[in-house]
Amino acid sequence: MSIDTYISQEDIAKRVKELGQQISKDYEGEELVVVGVLNGCFLFMADLIREIKIPVYVEFMKASSYGDSTTSSGKVDIQLDIKQDIAGRNVLVVEDIVDTGLTISGVCNDFTARNPKSLKVCSLLFKPARLENEVQIDYLAFEIEDKFVIGYGLDYAGKYRELPYIGIYNED
Ligand code: 5GP
């Protein structure tokens, strides 16, 4: 087994800083509830909120899609919910990766029903090749090829989340 570096620690830091600046500018004079979707978001979320220069409320949730786009149509099972009422507030959902798009579209459907003032999505990675559900990603760090990536929060069977870079896992 080997791991090839796909996106370096330096490139991630640069891009996260740019996203933080963009978000700070877009929400200037406002407050933001930033909701991380666990587990994969945790490193990205930690770095991103430190680059956002407006007041933020930090929340986490855990959700999994039913995994079948033909029957689930964007519904998720929420295993851990946020504590705050988001009605009338600006909400930014932070994901590690949008792959089929089922998780994020389900989370957005659920949150929209709670009547936020605004709802936007920020994702570290986007794999367009496997998209099944149309999703709007308002802030994206990197679009990637159809490869299984690990590190910087993302796991392979629970391991490698601590890697400071994004890598490609090779079985050989
Ligand atoms: P979805 O298919 O609903 O868009 O993504 C669901 C979840 O699958 C992501 O949040 C992520 O945890 C996992 N996932 C999708 N692609 C990859 C990948 O390339 N590497 C890893 N480690 N997880 C992935």
Side-chain angles (χ1 to χ4, degrees):
M1 162 334 245
S2 64
I3 299 167
D4 295 329
T5 303
Y6 188 56
I7 305 172
S8 71
Q9 190 172 357
E10 293 72 27
D11 287 349
I12 296 170
K14 185 166 169 277
R15 195 66 194 108
V16 171
K17 195 179 181 83
E18 287 170 0
L19 285 181
Q21 285 169 347
Q22 185 64 51
I23 291 165
S24 308
K25 193 163 159 262
D26 293 354
Y27 291 94
E28 201 179 340
E30 310 243 1
E31 290 185 342
L32 189 57
V33 184
V34 187
V35 182
V37 183
L38 291 171
N39 292 334
C41 77
F42 77 108
L43 287 183
F44 178 44
M45 177 86 167
D47 288 341
L48 183 68
I49 56 171
R50 284 180 287 182
E51 299 294 348
I52 296 178
K53 307 301 177 197
I54 56 158
V56 293
Y57 296 86
V58 176
E59 288 277 344
F60 289 97
M61 72 177 307
K62 205 163 187 174
S64 56
S65 71
Y66 296 126
D68 177 357
S69 60
T70 54
T71 54
S72 65
S73 65
K75 275 208 178 133
V76 279
D77 179 23
I78 296 183
Q79 287 118 19
L80 174 74
D81 205 350
I82 57 172
K83 299 280 181 288
Q84 303 199 36
D85 180 5
I86 56 169
R89 303 170 74 187
N90 296 308
V91 177
L92 181 67
V93 180
V94 176
E95 259 277 30
D96 54 352
I97 184 165
V98 175
D99 185 25
T100 62
L102 289 172
T103 306
I104 199 64
S105 66
V107 169
C108 287
N109 284 345
D110 193 277
F111 278 15
T112 300
R114 305 184 200 191
N115 299 312
K117 179 179 174 188
S118 68
L119 179 64
K120 285 190 181 181
V121 171
C122 178
S123 185
L124 173 67
L125 303 171
F126 173 45
K127 238 190 246 181
R130 288 177 30 97
L131 196 65
E132 291 178 27
N133 259 35
E134 201 52 49
V135 289
Q136 160 114 11
I137 305 173
D138 302 280
Y139 304 99
L140 174 67
F142 303 100
E143 188 170 304
I144 63 165
E145 300 161 84
D146 189 10
K147 306 226 188 236
F148 190 80
V149 291
I150 55 166
Y152 197 60
L154 291 117
D155 75 313
Y156 173 71
K159 288 166 70 184
Y160 308 110
R161 291 192 195 275
E162 74 283 6
L163 295 179
Y165 59 90
I166 295 165
I168 293 180
Y169 184 90
N170 301 306
E171 287 285 357
D172 46 282

